[in-house]
Amino acid sequence: MKNAEKLNIARSLRDFEEAIGLIPGGVLGARKPSDFIAGEYPIFLESGKGGRLIDVDGNEYIDFLCGYGPIILGYREEEVDEAVIRQIRDKGFCFTLTQRYQNQLAKKLKELVPCSEMSIFLKTGSDATTAAIRIARAYTNRIKVMRCGYHGWHDWCVEMRGGIPEKLYEDVHEFHYNNLPQLEELMARYGRETAAIIMTPFGHALHQKMEEPGPGFLEGVREIANKYGAVLVYDEVRTCFRLALGGAQEHYGVTPDLAVLGKGMANGYAISVVTGKADVMMAAAQKLFISSTFFPNSDGYVAALKTIEIIERDHVIDAIWEKGGRFLKKIQSIIDKYNVGAELSGVAPMFFITFKKQQSGVHKARRDEFYTQLIRRGIFFTPHHHSYICYRHTEKDLETAAKAIDESMAYINEKYPG
Ligand SMILES: Cc1ncc(COP(=O)(O)O)c(C=O)c1O
């Protein structure tokens, strides 16, 4: 199999050089070149439409990152954008007082999400996970938190702890997905001091294979939370509106006390939610101050209402499961042809291709070469984060991607044979 030609990303690299003098690190967080494969992936994008992106050098990609999750329908989804544009042009979106969309959206969530009785709307996933923890602490009058998964960049949960006083995270304990004994042990020690157990209900730890809940895992966590009187919070920032309209809690049939929703809800517009049982949520009204100048801005609410309307009307989630399911079957049959330690994990709406760890470290070489070959072939997956299927990925997009996966696997199979 031939080595695909390296992309011309000269403009991206020039812009990045300039950015380094203007923005610490050039670009923030998980958009840094080192989070992809430096020198191979573009750094700046120009535009997107449907399931495709164009970078500043004019290279086109079929994109499976979907903006790191919020693009559930597709880029520049006209109905959603038009609804927001109409709002901005005809009524306005930033006012002294709240517009009524909050009631409409809260009612819609109550209808769709099993735990939802009351909601608070914010802007980012990190806003919402932090608010959920504060609510749980206020409701229980306890401090400790058990956590499982990525919950954003705020002081209590970020992995890189530079600039954060130790006391802000010393009451936060981590457990691993599908490891119930570990949580039991922690709770046996700290259960009576624990305000919240916050977890992603579907396992998608950083750089790791994705995991569905093992038999009894979610039920077991629910029981432990009940036993010790801790608030169970599902971080459904990635899973709500993807696994099901009502999130992983609907899909797996275990209901938390609170849930945090964000990506996927408004097709890219900024809005996030803490939603849940009324008695717990009421702590927010009675004991807390949760406020931002921008929380009531209605662009996100309008986008969310329209996105949810389209998801329901066009059976978007069924369509994603259906075409994603077929795509995953194809990927698995490709992986089975080659002895390179590749592994496919996840479910149709969100999945990941990783490489089995080997002492020799060859898995890293295979991984980097595989993803290099893919990006050179115009397929935007990344080595460090799982992928998503969006509604606008066409059969042709998925066929093209499957062919590129086959060729890239064949290439590494020749270069790093098993
Ligand atoms: C599960 C989960 N929780 C919370 C967050 C934080 O959301 P945001 O990046 O919008 O602050 C993310 C973002 O990737 C996430 O995936």
Side-chain angles (χ1 to χ4, degrees):
M1 183 53 60
K2 79 174 180 5
N3 185 0
E5 200 176 320
K6 195 168 173 4
L7 297 172
N8 173 10
I9 53 166
R11 182 72 210 236
S12 254
L13 294 173
R14 268 203 314 279
D15 287 352
F16 186 63
E17 237 176 79
E18 184 188 34
I20 281 178
L22 297 168
I23 315 283
V27 288
L28 286 185
R31 264 86 176 184
K32 291 189 304 293
S34 57
D35 277 287
F36 300 90
I37 291 170
E40 294 286 347
Y41 279 69
I43 305 166
F44 292 94
L45 295 172
E46 188 66 27
S47 65
K49 179 73 186 159
R52 288 176 181 248
L53 292 173
I54 296 179
D55 72 13
V56 289
D57 289 278
N59 302 300
E60 190 177 5
Y61 308 90
I62 302 171
D63 172 49
F64 290 89
L65 263 283
C66 298
Y68 272 96
I71 302 300
I72 175 105
L73 300 172
Y75 293 108
R76 273 196 288 147
E77 182 69 25
E78 276 165 34
E79 263 188 279
V80 178
D81 292 345
E82 282 306 322
V84 175
I85 290 164
R86 264 199 314 278
Q87 178 69 28
I88 293 170
R89 193 188 48 221
D90 300 346
K91 292 189 179 169
F93 70 101
C94 176
F95 289 115
T96 311
L97 299 175
T98 304
Q99 292 179 286
R100 285 179 299 175
Y101 305 106
Q102 66 155 25
N103 298 15
Q104 289 174 32
L105 191 52
K107 275 195 267 185
K108 194 74 211 169
L109 294 180
K110 200 168 164 178
E111 199 185 290
L112 297 175
V113 180
C115 75
S116 176
E117 292 173 1
M118 301 185 92
S119 299
I120 290 177
F121 297 102
L122 310 98
K123 285 289 168 209
T124 71
S126 302
D127 291 341
T129 56
T130 297
I133 294 306
R134 202 188 288 178
I135 291 168
R137 283 174 164 163
Y139 176 74
T140 56
N141 283 315
R142 299 173 179 179
I143 303 286
K144 285 204 181 283
V145 172
M146 305 295 144
R147 60 167 288 201
C148 172
Y150 176 75
H151 306 299
W153 72 276
H154 286 183
D155 284 0
W156 67 275
C157 62
V158 72
E159 308 294 327
M160 284 177 81
R161 290 174 173 173
I164 303 171
E166 211 172 304
K167 60 184 171 214
L168 294 184
Y169 55 79
E170 67 190 10
D171 285 312
V172 179
H173 303 268
E174 203 163 350
F175 66 102
H176 291 104
Y177 194 81
N178 271 334
N179 191 339
L180 201 57
Q182 193 186 19
L183 178 65
E184 270 165 353
E185 211 175 297
L186 280 167
M187 291 296 276
R189 244 171 112 186
Y190 301 119
R192 300 284 163 212
E193 302 162 66
T194 298
I197 300 172
I198 181 168
M199 62 181 294
T200 61
F202 179 77
H204 46 69
L206 219 57
H207 311 305
Q208 310 290 324
K209 280 171 73 170
M210 306 181 85
E211 286 182 73
E212 288 211 80
F217 174 60
L218 293 179
E219 293 80 0
V221 176
R222 178 69 272 183
E223 268 175 39
I224 292 173
N226 291 349
K227 176 173 164 190
Y228 290 97
V231 175
L232 178 59
V233 185
Y234 277 0
D235 180 346
E236 297 233 37
V237 165
R238 294 189 206 179
T239 46
C240 201
F241 308 101
R242 280 205 184 263
L243 294 198
L245 263 163
Q249 58 191 278
E250 178 193 334
H251 188 66
Y252 296 118
V254 179
T255 306
D257 301 305
L258 300 182
V260 177
L261 325 175
K263 308 180 195 227
M265 178 169 160
N267 203 50
Y269 291 87
I271 186 162
S272 64
V273 190
V274 186
T275 194
K277 305 270 168 67
D279 60 330
V280 184
M281 289 294 290
M282 278 307 289
Q286 291 155 351
K287 298 189 184 174
L288 306 184
F289 182 70
I290 296 177
S291 175
S292 159
T293 306
F294 299 119
F295 287 164
N297 281 8
S298 62
D299 51 340
Y301 295 76
V302 168
L305 284 163
K306 183 53 79 177
T307 301
I308 294 170
E309 180 191 321
I310 296 169
I311 293 176
E312 286 191 292
R313 184 194 67 202
D314 297 345
H315 309 288
V316 164
I317 296 178
D318 289 345
I320 288 175
W321 272 96
E322 213 259 318
K323 69 179 154 190
R326 271 185 280 122
F327 184 52
L328 259 55
K329 260 198 199 132
K330 215 178 271 176
I331 298 179
Q332 188 59 59
S333 71
I334 293 166
I335 285 177
D336 291 344
K337 289 199 294 182
Y338 304 106
N339 184 23
V340 290
E343 296 180 308
L344 176 67
S345 59
V347 289
M350 44 204 283
F351 59 91
F352 200 9
I353 301 172
T354 48
F355 289 83
K356 213 180 281 172
K357 209 168 173 175
Q358 317 243 322
Q359 283 251 303
S360 63
V362 69
H363 62 287
K364 285 192 186 158
R366 285 172 174 158
R367 177 196 69 197
D368 287 358
E369 191 63 75
F370 172 69
Y371 283 98
T372 296
Q373 293 296 316
L374 275 184
I375 198 72
R376 289 181 179 186
R377 288 172 165 81
I379 306 300
F380 205 123
F381 283 64
T382 105
H384 303 298
H385 195 284
H386 65 80
S387 301
Y388 295 99
I389 299 276
C390 75
Y391 185 55
R392 294 292 176 201
H393 280 133
T394 62
E395 289 304 327
K396 174 104 191 334
D397 289 340
L398 299 180
E399 255 171 52
T400 308
K403 180 167 177 284
I405 289 169
D406 202 346
E407 289 173 1
S408 304
M409 285 278 168
Y411 182 77
I412 61 167
N413 191 51
E414 284 166 25
K415 191 164 174 187
Y416 303 105

